[in-house]
Amino acid sequence: MLENLTGDVLLSSGTVAYLGAFTVDYRLKCQQQWQVLCNEKNIPCSSDFSLSNTLGDPVKIRAWQIAGLPVDSFSTDNGIIISNSRRWALMIDPQRQANKWVKNMEKTNRLSVIKLSDTHYVRVLENAIQLGTPVLLENVGEELDAFIEPILLKLTFKQQGVEYIKLGENIIEYSRDFRFYITTCLRNPHYLPEVAVKVCLINFVITPLGLQDQLLGIVTAEEKPELEEKKNELIIESAANKKQLKEIEDKILEILSTSEGNILEDETAITVLSSSKVLSEEISEKQKISSITEMQIDTTRMRYKPVAVHSAVIFFCISDLANIEPMYQYSLIWFINVYVQSIAKSKKSEDLEERIKNITEHFTVSIYNNVCRSLFEKDKLLFSLLLTIGIMKGKDQIDDEIWHFLLTGGVTLDNPHLNPAPDWLSEKSWAELVRASSLTNLHGLMEHVRDNSSKWKLIYDSARPHEEAFPDAWSTLTGLDHLVILRCLRPDKIIPAVQEFIVENMGRTFIEPPTFDLGKSYSDSNCCAPLIFVLSPGADPMAGLLKFADDVGMGGASIQTISLGQGQGPIAAKMISQAITDGTWVVLQNCHLATSWMPALEKICEEVIVPENTNEKFRLWLTSYPSEKFPVSILQNGIKMTNEPPKGVRVNLLRSYLTDPISDPVFFTGCQKPEMWQKLLFGLCFFHAVVQERRNFGPLGWNIPYEFNESDLRISMQQIQMFLNEYEEVPFEALTYLTGECNYGGRVTDDKDRRLLLSLLSVVYSKDIEQDKYMLTSYIEYIRNLPIITHPEVFGLHENADITKDNQETNQLFHGVLLTLPREAGGSGKSSQETVEELAQDILSKLPSDFDMEVVMKTYPVLYEESMNTVLRQELIRFNRYGSVFCVALLILKYACVYQRLTTYKTFTIRCS
């Protein structure tokens, strides 16, 4: 509507100028509030305003989508912002969607692709500026090279009618056809104002709708290839028809505008108009047929939508992990590869519903196994919980208010209700129960606890409260509601309760992470994908890697290792250059110590290690502690592995038996006393699991936390076999000394810890083990049937020793989940800024007044006989200073929240006024 043009253009201008860097929800929120402001200022605008309706060209948008732009409205708006902005676009593109789109869109225009690390990028830029061809600058960081500043600011000048630009010391001719695109792979970059004002920041992070469409296209192409092919043909044909119609319209308008006199007397014009009409009718008829066919295809295609929706949910669960640990980076390309493999490998079925179920189940398990091998032990349950909640949210089975309460316990400062059982119920637990009573399914909980405290005390006192039924009507609670009450009463048992929650909704597979399997990781790799060991304290994968290399025929001269550090980068580069030709392996250890060389390594991975130049047998192995400087592209495209001791005695034992050297049949059967050998071997593995697990109990486990590792276990079991083969009698004293004093004891510095270590070892290295009743012989199936959560008694500790450890694990779990959540309004409808503002005001109102120092000095004068008066005076001065700092900090926080809520609309309001 023309009457709404003023307001729509104003909103479009604001969107293009200010909202490019924001998320889809924030953009919509701003646009809606801007519409309200327009109505208040009597500026007419459309009630259903959208950027694509105002500034979008349907023909151009369809061409963008054919070139790879996601079809969702958010991505379409991004394309419109880029094409209408006066500044060159810097696209935040962690999934490389924008990168792919720009390359396809500008392919026919001789696009040049450069990086700031390229040695020749200046020359490429200069040539493109003069010839008027597009340039894509990839993988920029948070700072841009000062050399490109004149290009960003468009500092051109004219001489004798010709436009020029000065780059460095060179003055070159500037073509108006030149286009400049910039992309970054960083997920959440922080650009300083001096950078942000020179470019148009665009948030190209993929949206759920855009990803769903891509995944739907992939699954349809795999399951019904002829259908997807026809769909793509229709899209291209429809785009061509629309383009032709647009050209006809433009041609008619040109004739009408250039025609002089009576157009009815212009035979040429009449002929053109007649032929255009016939052609237009033919195209319109074709479009109708195409539209009907496309609708029929879409109907069949949409039957696979549950697969796409489910898989998109999983991708966003994975992408959130990077907030916990910078090494947890996964690319969309990697995700789609796993997706395609699951479609191919999952069980076939003629029944569509069953086939969809098979694909989703196979894909979910495949993703879980793939991601788990790259996570630290502390984050594996966290990932399972995120996956469970994400999938349930996709089915609308999660109440956000309940979920947020479970993670935070609610927020308030006052509790006006008196604790009914202060002898056993802590004030913190009672306050949480009071707050929980306001939740939808928990109304009346506070009153029930107050009136039936003895019944609830049974839950509180129980050794396994997560398995107990709650009193009376509350016994029927399940899911998150059950977990919320457990959090209030016994937060130390949240971990086993969360495991049960996951088992109920996803299955036991998702609480039993796969054991470390180097062979599986290797089989999933290729010559161009680095294999990355993400290290933790005490982990040393080199022994296992060298043994694996021998097993696959790549040992000896076929594998080269180098520990990175100052000056080692060029040597490593030469090793890689030679190895990609020879088809050998290169291991670069401790990449975190060579952060300055990491950009060079990234360039090698992207430009040197490419399929056409690389021997298929070549592999690049990297080891690194977590580092924010580690290249994102290598993390996303590589195969990541962690080699930590697994969590729990059961899994620890299982891993010991499934990995080298026990998994090697030659070693396992190489002892001349098999019965004693298997007893001692199991006992040693059990001892190894116990000494590692005791670290979780803090000072109760060890006075000093020690990093016992696989090397200690390996050398100890080799010594057992050697001694059994060489001696008639088992030399327990010698084994105790070597294992307890040398191998494991060599790490122990505290004398009490050493005594404990030897005491634990004496259970295994005992002559009693020779008796049949001293049962330690074990098999893998027996280990698999052990409980997942180990009772403290196994470690020689009282069951109460678990409480502190379990509380820490619960806090760690909730903290990790909170890191992955977006900062948005909770169930109460209040924004985070409003909540913080209220809390700050509440604390301010309760701060005590400063002490009047003049009164204090008169009451407690400084006297020789009363030295404590001086101390009192100094302490009160410090208290007043602390109170002032605290007050100022709260005021700053409060008004920062107010400003943040208002600043979004400030500039727009001023312009409207």
Side-chain angles (χ1 to χ4, degrees), residues 417-435:
H417 303 281
L418 195 64
N419 188 342
D423 54 322
W424 63 269
L425 186 62
S426 70
E427 292 300 327
K428 179 178 179 294
S429 295
W430 172 241
E432 286 189 358
L433 285 167
V434 171
R435 293 194 290 271

Side-chain angles (χ1 to χ4, degrees), residues 302-315:
M302 291 301 285
R303 294 172 70 186
Y304 287 94
K305 189 175 179 182
V307 176
V309 172
H310 177 88
S311 304
V313 166
I314 291 176
F315 176 79

Side-chain angles (χ1 to χ4, degrees), residues 50-295:
S50 76
L51 190 65
S52 56
N53 288 343
T54 308
L55 296 181
D57 180 345
V59 175
K60 190 183 287 187
I61 290 171
R62 181 51 69 97
W64 289 344
Q65 291 171 350
I66 292 171
L69 184 73
V71 299
D72 58 289
S73 59
F74 181 72
S75 300
T76 301
D77 287 355
N78 283 340
I80 294 170
I81 292 171
I82 290 168
S83 62
N84 285 277
S85 175
R86 291 181 180 178
R87 292 174 289 185
W88 301 122
L90 195 170
M91 293 165 270
I92 301 166
D93 184 32
Q95 288 89 32
R96 302 181 75 85
Q97 297 286 294
N99 200 285
K100 173 186 171 186
W101 167 57
V102 170
K103 286 178 178 177
N104 290 337
M105 180 176 62
E106 298 285 8
K107 187 189 299 181
T108 56
N109 298 325
R110 296 183 297 162
L111 173 73
S112 301
V113 181
I114 60 172
K115 300 181 185 67
L116 291 176
S117 58
D118 294 346
T119 52
H120 58 280
Y121 89 89
V122 171
R123 186 170 68 252
V124 172
L125 260 178
E126 290 177 346
N127 291 338
I129 289 170
Q130 293 178 81
L131 298 172
T133 56
V135 173
L136 170 61
L137 174 59
E138 295 182 312
N139 294 359
V140 299
E142 294 184 342
E143 296 179 2
L144 301 180
D145 195 331
F147 177 83
I148 66 172
E149 186 169 322
I151 302 174
L152 300 179
L153 297 176
K154 299 184 180 179
L155 299 177
T156 61
F157 57 92
K158 284 190 176 182
Q159 285 183 354
Q160 299 177 346
V162 180
E163 196 166 9
Y164 293 93
I165 190 170
K166 185 177 181 182
L167 290 179
E169 298 300 320
N170 299 329
I171 296 176
I172 58 174
E173 190 174 333
Y174 186 88
S175 170
R176 280 285 164 184
D177 293 328
F178 168 73
R179 291 181 299 284
F180 193 35
Y181 305 93
I182 310 172
T183 62
T184 177
C185 287
L186 300 177
R187 294 179 64 257
N188 190 20
H190 175 62
Y191 288 106
L192 296 174
E194 52 265 33
V195 174
V197 297
K198 296 171 188 172
V199 295
C200 177
L201 282 174
I202 305 290
N203 183 354
F204 244 101
V205 177
I206 195 165
T207 63
L209 192 61
L211 182 58
Q212 283 173 24
D213 185 77
Q214 287 187 54
L215 297 177
L216 181 59
I218 291 167
V219 71
T220 311
E222 294 292 323
E223 295 288 293
K224 305 280 185 184
E226 71 289 344
L227 203 69
E228 193 64 15
E229 189 178 341
K230 182 67 176 173
K231 166 82 174 174
N232 292 333
E233 287 175 3
L234 286 174
I235 289 173
I236 294 169
E237 184 184 332
S238 175
N241 289 339
K242 286 182 178 179
K243 184 178 179 183
Q244 203 170 354
L245 279 172
K246 182 76 165 53
E247 289 171 354
I248 291 169
E249 291 173 4
D250 292 342
K251 193 173 183 181
I252 292 171
L253 289 172
E254 184 183 354
I255 290 169
L256 292 173
S257 62
T258 56
S259 177
E260 297 178 1
N262 190 348
I263 193 170
L264 297 175
E265 297 174 0
D266 189 339
E267 292 184 11
T268 306
I270 295 296
T271 304
V272 171
L273 289 170
S274 300
S275 61
S276 296
K277 182 184 178 185
V278 173
L279 186 60
S280 174
E281 288 174 350
E282 288 178 3
I283 292 171
S284 297
E285 197 61 36
K286 283 182 184 177
Q287 280 292 90
K288 286 179 184 177
I289 296 169
S290 295
S291 297
I292 294 169
T293 309
E294 195 170 349
M295 285 175 64

Side-chain angles (χ1 to χ4, degrees), residues 26 38 98 112 117 161 224 303 474 492 598 623 632 756 759 785:
Y26 193 79
C38 283
S112 301
S117 58
K224 305 280 185 184
R303 294 172 70 186
W474 304 99
D492 57 303
M598 286 297 99
T623 74
V632 172
L756 170 62
S759 176
N785 291 325

Side-chain angles (χ1 to χ4, degrees), residues 199-464:
V199 295
C200 177
L201 282 174
I202 305 290
N203 183 354
F204 244 101
V205 177
I206 195 165
T207 63
L209 192 61
L211 182 58
Q212 283 173 24
D213 185 77
Q214 287 187 54
L215 297 177
L216 181 59
I218 291 167
V219 71
T220 311
E222 294 292 323
E223 295 288 293
K224 305 280 185 184
E226 71 289 344
L227 203 69
E228 193 64 15
E229 189 178 341
K230 182 67 176 173
K231 166 82 174 174
N232 292 333
E233 287 175 3
L234 286 174
I235 289 173
I236 294 169
E237 184 184 332
S238 175
N241 289 339
K242 286 182 178 179
K243 184 178 179 183
Q244 203 170 354
L245 279 172
K246 182 76 165 53
E247 289 171 354
I248 291 169
E249 291 173 4
D250 292 342
K251 193 173 183 181
I252 292 171
L253 289 172
E254 184 183 354
I255 290 169
L256 292 173
S257 62
T258 56
S259 177
E260 297 178 1
N262 190 348
I263 193 170
L264 297 175
E265 297 174 0
D266 189 339
E267 292 184 11
T268 306
I270 295 296
T271 304
V272 171
L273 289 170
S274 300
S275 61
S276 296
K277 182 184 178 185
V278 173
L279 186 60
S280 174
E281 288 174 350
E282 288 178 3
I283 292 171
S284 297
E285 197 61 36
K286 283 182 184 177
Q287 280 292 90
K288 286 179 184 177
I289 296 169
S290 295
S291 297
I292 294 169
T293 309
E294 195 170 349
M295 285 175 64
Q296 292 171 345
I297 291 172
D298 282 341
T299 302
T300 308
R301 193 170 177 259
M302 291 301 285
R303 294 172 70 186
Y304 287 94
K305 189 175 179 182
V307 176
V309 172
H310 177 88
S311 304
V313 166
I314 291 176
F315 176 79
F316 287 102
C317 291
I318 295 169
S319 64
D320 291 335
L321 292 174
N323 294 325
I324 301 169
E325 171 57 61
M327 302 297 275
Y328 299 162
Q329 304 262 5
Y330 307 89
S331 71
L332 183 60
I333 295 170
W334 167 85
F335 179 83
I336 287 174
N337 285 339
V338 179
Y339 180 67
V340 171
Q341 288 174 16
S342 289
I343 295 171
K345 293 179 181 178
S346 54
K347 188 178 179 182
K348 309 295 180 187
S349 176
E350 293 298 322
D351 181 26
L352 184 61
E353 286 189 9
E354 187 178 341
R355 175 63 180 147
I356 287 171
K357 182 183 177 184
N358 292 341
I359 294 173
T360 54
E361 287 182 355
H362 188 284
F363 179 61
T364 309
V365 173
S366 181
I367 280 289
Y368 175 73
N369 290 334
N370 271 277
V371 172
C372 268
R373 73 180 172 199
S374 63
L375 300 179
F376 291 125
E377 288 299 318
K378 67 182 180 66
D379 297 324
K380 289 180 179 178
L381 181 63
L382 188 155
F383 174 57
S384 296
L385 179 60
L386 286 176
L387 204 57
T388 306
I389 294 295
I391 291 170
M392 292 178 72
K393 274 189 175 182
K395 298 175 182 176
D396 202 24
Q397 295 174 347
I398 294 293
D399 183 331
D400 278 337
E401 192 177 8
I402 296 277
W403 172 231
H404 281 273
F405 186 93
L406 175 64
L407 299 176
T408 64
V411 179
T412 188
L413 289 176
D414 288 326
N415 180 13
H417 303 281
L418 195 64
N419 188 342
D423 54 322
W424 63 269
L425 186 62
S426 70
E427 292 300 327
K428 179 178 179 294
S429 295
W430 172 241
E432 286 189 358
L433 285 167
V434 171
R435 293 194 290 271
S437 299
S438 62
L439 298 173
T440 307
N441 296 334
L442 301 180
H443 288 309
L445 174 65
M446 174 189 69
E447 290 80 6
H448 192 275
V449 173
R450 185 181 59 204
D451 300 337
N452 303 273
S453 62
S454 58
K455 293 181 179 179
W456 288 98
K457 189 175 186 297
L458 296 175
I459 303 295
Y460 180 82
D461 290 337
S462 172
R464 305 182 69 81

